[in-house]
Amino acid sequence: MKTKILLFGMLLTGWMSFAQQDAQYTQYMYNTINVNPAYAGSRGVMSFFGLHRTQWVGLEGAPVTNAFSMNTPIQYTNLGVGLSFVNDRIGPTNENTISADVSYSIKTSETYKLSFGIKATGNLFNLDVSRLTYQNPNDPLLQNLNNNFSMNMGAGAYFHSDKSYVGLSIPNFFETKRYNDNDVAVYKERMNFYLIGGYVFDLTPDLKFKPAFLTKIVEGAPLQLDISSNFLIYDKLTLGASWRWGAAMSAQVGFQITDGLFAGYGYDLETTRLANYNSGSHEIFLRFELFNRDDRIVSPRFF
């Protein structure tokens, strides 16, 4: 028989997972490959990206996300490929996702390309029942909750140049349940729709401005809208701020250490009642790129 305490724990976990669904990123403009497979290879070089995000610091069981990805164009073709790994921990749940991306690009003008991509994903979901409080350890609901594996597919389109981009994607087409006994689902993966875009304005030879946005739509959840404004100073220092509708304000800073190495940091300050229970969210990342002898960086890419 289901215990009330176990059911409450499951419902709480499901609520947290459903409310956020896919991992959330403040510096989404640098991490597009995780939501849009058509991004693979768009930078023209082999690119490695690593990110660590600690959300709602001070709140027990708050999300902690680690992401790593690489993507590269395939020389002398219109193809790009990518591989990404995400570990997302929320409360007693631990989710590991590995994805492979393939993109194909069509040159539509001297400056713009239109890319299409597909994503194949494997997901391993675990619920640590030892972190739940329950009355009956022999309850069958407590059995076989670990190592729940599922597969998924996604697709996206990405229209871009060196100055601007807009993309539309659905990383996961299939709505899967991580644990289901026909009465309780700890986590149900729903389709997430992403619309992203950005543009780079040359204000002066040494100052560039890039507004960007990300819109995420999930069935049954509020619309998520992120709007950011970043300034690139002397092609080295990036300073910016962003706003997440009804959720948070953020500050961002980045530095181009070398032609191939870029580091960034973001801080979120909650604007909801959750601000009373945490000290904000921290996000750091590194991007490293490998250039061929013939590659020449005229100006560091913003995205």
Side-chain angles (χ1 to χ4, degrees), residues 10-299:
M10 287 184 169
L11 289 174
L12 177 62
T13 303
W15 173 81
M16 292 180 67
S17 300
F18 177 75
Q20 180 161 310
Q21 284 285 307
D22 289 350
Q24 179 173 277
Y25 305 103
T26 295
Q27 297 164 114
Y28 53 86
M29 65 289 295
Y30 305 114
N31 195 29
T32 306
I33 189 69
N34 273 328
V35 299
N36 193 331
Y39 183 83
S42 66
R43 291 184 57 80
V45 296
M46 181 175 288
S47 181
F48 298 88
F49 183 89
L51 177 145
H52 173 76
R53 177 178 176 84
T54 303
Q55 191 166 324
W56 302 333
V57 174
L59 183 63
E60 185 178 358
V64 176
T65 303
N66 291 287
F68 175 80
S69 65
M70 66 81 60
N71 73 93
T72 183
I74 299 179
Q75 198 170 17
Y76 308 122
T77 74
N78 294 325
L79 296 172
V81 294
L83 186 68
S84 59
F85 172 79
V86 178
N87 172 256
D88 202 23
R89 302 194 304 275
I90 305 176
T93 67
N94 189 348
E95 187 174 15
N96 292 290
T97 302
I98 186 168
S99 301
D101 306 289
V102 178
S103 70
Y104 183 83
S105 297
I106 302 169
K107 194 169 184 179
T108 59
S109 70
E110 288 298 318
T111 55
Y112 281 92
K113 291 182 179 180
L114 178 60
S115 302
F116 301 94
I118 57 174
K119 179 186 289 288
T121 298
N123 181 282
L124 187 64
F125 179 85
N126 288 276
L127 172 64
D128 184 359
V129 296
S130 68
R131 297 183 60 185
L132 298 176
T133 302
Y134 47 85
Q135 295 176 345
N136 179 13
N138 297 317
D139 193 316
L141 283 177
L142 298 175
Q143 312 303 318
N144 302 318
L145 297 183
N146 292 325
N147 300 322
N148 188 308
F149 183 77
S150 61
M151 298 289 293
N152 221 313
M153 296 287 295
Y158 188 67
F159 185 60
H160 60 101
S161 69
D162 288 341
K163 293 283 188 180
S164 63
Y165 69 94
V166 62
L168 179 65
S169 61
I170 305 174
N172 296 304
F173 283 134
F174 309 124
E175 298 187 348
T176 57
K177 294 182 179 180
R178 298 294 185 257
Y179 168 71
N180 179 33
D181 71 339
N182 296 321
D183 293 317
V184 177
V186 173
Y187 182 102
K188 183 175 181 179
E189 176 70 33
R190 297 184 182 272
M191 283 196 294
N192 288 243
F193 298 82
Y194 289 89
L195 176 65
I196 59 174
Y199 193 89
V200 179
F201 295 91
D202 293 318
L203 302 182
T204 73
D206 300 318
L207 180 64
K208 296 178 176 64
F209 170 61
K210 191 198 80 167
F213 72 90
L214 178 148
T215 302
K216 182 167 72 172
I217 301 173
V218 185
E219 180 188 355
L223 173 73
Q224 180 179 311
L225 174 63
D226 286 63
I227 300 175
S228 67
S229 297
N230 283 281
F231 292 90
L232 178 61
I233 305 168
Y234 293 110
D235 289 339
K236 288 289 186 180
L237 177 65
T238 301
L239 297 174
S242 63
W243 170 70
R244 183 171 300 121
W245 183 22
M249 300 288 291
S250 306
Q252 302 159 22
V253 61
F255 191 74
Q256 193 75 42
I257 301 169
T258 67
D259 283 347
L261 184 62
F262 181 68
Y265 168 77
Y267 173 75
D268 294 358
L269 182 64
E270 286 292 314
T271 57
T272 68
R273 285 180 295 177
L274 274 175
N276 298 322
Y277 307 100
N278 73 91
S279 57
S281 304
H282 302 271
E283 187 175 286
I284 58 173
F285 75 84
L286 281 174
R287 184 179 66 199
F288 178 68
E289 296 178 312
L290 297 175
F291 301 100
N292 297 323
R293 288 183 181 179
D294 297 332
D295 290 332
R296 181 169 62 94
I297 297 297
V298 176
S299 177

